Amino acid sequence: MPRIRRTARRTALAAAVAATAVTSVAVPAAHADRHDRPDRHDRHHRHDRTVEAWADRLVADGAPGVTIMTRRGRHVSHATAGVADKATGRPMDHRLLFRIASVTKSFTSTVALQLAAERRLSLDDTVEEWLPGVVRGNGNDGSKITVRQLLAQTSGLHDYTSDPRIFAEPGRTWTPEELVSIAMETPPHHAPGTDWNYSNTNYVLAGMIIEKATGNPLGEEYEKRIFRPLRLRHTSYAPERLTFPGPYVHGYYFEFGDVSTMVSPSSGRAAGGIVSTVDDVARFHRALFTGRLLPRRQMRELTTVRPVNDGGIIEDYGLGVARIKFSCGYAWGHDGGFPGYRTWTYTGADGKRQAVITYNESALENNTTFRADLAKAADDAFCA
């Protein structure tokens, strides 16, 4: 599920996911690999040490494993701590795959905006024009919702991920139509365009519209427009596949343990179904926010924001991207959570500063010590 804090509570998963025994393992200390020699780059070296210390701290706070990727101009570092697999003790490694969850939304929005630039759709088109009869019932009306409102999370549509049926069958392959139909059982939270509420339903619908506009599966459009041009060789979209296409970080979900290959990414689809690595995610965001993927007009659409309080996260939300204020200025990105996985991405508008933080335990969502340290780690990783 994209963004775990919005999902049904963990008890609903018990019916289908057995608890996983966890063996005690030694936790390796954080380490960083650098592209610059320390004697020539003392400032980078000090920053690397700071980020390593934060990775260690987050593991001490309860994360099984942590990776923090940072960029300063041409200098790229990876601080890792803890383990990617509790059962084997395999150390966390920045090259391993993980589920990026709602970070997928930035990819989906980019494709939709590219199609708008090509005049294959308009952001002012209604959902009903593209998907007749799909958004209907209980006060939901696709004829009053635009593509722009889907991407901006202002449609008012209910988020299907809060429904316990999603977690009752974690391995089930969900179709986009099934996910949307669950959302249609609930009246809208507000009239389209009048307020903001985070809803994965919006992005499932956006993915359906992309497929209708292009005549191609969404994965082909990701591949053709983003993955291949940016050489994201470790990024893939296969929402019906439970397994990973290569070595991966194991994700842990409360008392259920390792659920890495138990929860179908089909429950996220265009809202949260991509698998990637920290470097590929950073490469995508750097290209996006420096204007390599969208014309100027669509960049303005992407980065037109409104202030929101997203479940306690204060940020400015645009079209599938967020602007976050740090001590040194603003960063752009998106966060994402899937059972067992959590990711935070930050990129400066000029692409010179970046930070990507990922860890593999969902139970930390409500841990106040961890969240406080995570906020400090993010600021130091991006700013220090």
Side-chain angles (χ1 to χ4, degrees):
M1 303 310 308
R3 289 195 175 190
I4 195 68
R5 63 177 176 278
R6 298 184 184 81
T7 59
R9 292 319 310 153
R10 49 187 165 165
T11 54
L13 191 61
V17 179
T20 300
V22 176
T23 57
S24 177
V25 297
V27 177
H31 65 275
D33 54 270
R34 293 171 299 281
H35 295 179
D36 303 81
R37 290 186 297 173
D39 60 331
R40 293 180 58 189
H41 298 281
D42 290 340
R43 182 174 55 191
H44 292 319
H45 189 66
R46 289 194 300 272
H47 178 258
D48 292 346
R49 300 286 82 75
T50 298
V51 176
E52 288 175 46
W54 277 120
D56 280 331
R57 172 74 70 84
L58 294 176
V59 167
D61 286 344
V66 173
T67 294
I68 307 177
M69 172 270 175
T70 60
R71 171 184 290 277
R72 290 293 175 281
R74 295 183 179 180
H75 178 85
V76 175
S77 263
H78 304 91
T80 61
V83 295
D85 184 351
K86 288 182 179 181
T88 66
R90 179 175 186 168
M92 198 66 156
D93 189 318
H94 74 273
R95 295 165 294 187
L96 296 175
L97 301 170
F98 60 94
R99 302 195 188 280
I100 72 170
S102 282
V103 179
T104 300
K105 290 180 174 66
S106 301
F107 289 77
T108 303
S109 182
T110 298
V111 173
L113 286 164
Q114 287 178 343
L115 292 171
E118 297 163 12
R119 300 188 177 182
R120 299 175 69 177
L121 60 76
S122 168
L123 296 183
D124 295 318
D125 290 345
T126 67
V127 175
E128 182 68 16
E129 290 176 66
W130 284 103
L131 306 171
V134 172
V135 175
R136 188 175 295 174
N138 295 307
N140 297 291
D141 186 349
S143 69
K144 296 179 180 178
I145 298 171
T146 67
V147 174
R148 181 185 285 103
Q149 289 165 347
L150 293 179
L151 301 178
Q153 304 278 21
T154 60
S155 72
L157 294 174
H158 182 66
D159 186 357
Y160 65 84
T161 65
S162 62
D163 192 284
R165 283 170 289 184
I166 302 296
F167 268 62
E169 300 179 80
R172 170 180 169 173
T173 296
W174 294 89
T175 67
E177 292 79 7
E178 289 172 331
L179 299 174
V180 173
S181 69
I182 289 175
M184 293 304 101
E185 295 173 9
T186 302
H189 294 267
H190 54 80
T194 63
D195 205 348
W196 189 92
N197 70 287
Y198 191 93
S199 176
N200 293 290
T201 308
N202 291 323
Y203 274 78
V204 171
L205 287 164
M208 294 169 70
I209 290 171
I210 289 169
E211 292 188 336
K212 195 77 174 287
T214 63
N216 296 322
L218 179 61
E220 287 188 18
E221 293 299 317
Y222 285 147
E223 189 74 32
K224 177 176 67 177
R225 295 171 176 274
I226 300 176
F227 300 170
R228 281 203 303 267
L230 296 182
R231 292 179 293 174
L232 307 184
R233 298 189 179 95
H234 307 291
T235 302
S236 60
Y237 177 76
E240 298 179 1
R241 183 176 62 201
L242 285 168
T243 58
F244 289 78
Y248 61 94
V249 175
H250 290 246
Y252 300 90
Y253 188 76
F254 296 91
E255 67 268 28
F256 303 105
D258 186 349
V259 297
S260 312
T261 58
M262 294 182 181
V263 183
S264 172
S266 68
S267 60
R269 293 200 171 267
I274 288 178
V275 166
S276 191
T277 63
V278 290
D279 285 336
D280 272 12
V281 166
R283 183 189 288 259
F284 163 65
H285 278 119
R286 193 167 185 234
L288 176 60
F289 295 118
T290 57
R292 289 175 53 195
L293 295 176
L294 295 172
R296 189 170 300 175
R297 179 179 176 183
Q298 280 67 41
M299 281 297 294
R300 285 197 300 269
E301 294 277 10
L302 179 81
T303 56
T304 297
V305 297
R306 64 184 294 157
V308 303
N309 184 335
D310 181 16
I313 300 170
I314 307 302
E315 61 190 15
D316 300 321
Y317 204 85
L319 301 188
V321 300
R323 185 177 67 177
I324 306 95
K325 189 174 184 179
F326 282 119
S327 62
C328 60
Y330 286 101
W332 290 93
H334 208 288
D335 66 294
F338 192 92
Y341 300 92
R342 199 71 164 95
T343 303
W344 307 81
T345 70
Y346 310 106
T347 296
D350 61 4
K352 293 180 180 179
R353 288 177 181 262
Q354 286 191 287
V356 178
I357 303 175
T358 187
Y359 50 91
N360 56 342
E361 172 57 78
S362 297
L364 296 167
E365 282 300 299
N366 301 316
N367 183 314
T368 54
T369 298
F370 181 88
R371 291 300 292 265
D373 284 344
L374 176 65
K376 296 172 187 175
D379 193 271
D380 273 353
F382 185 75
C383 292

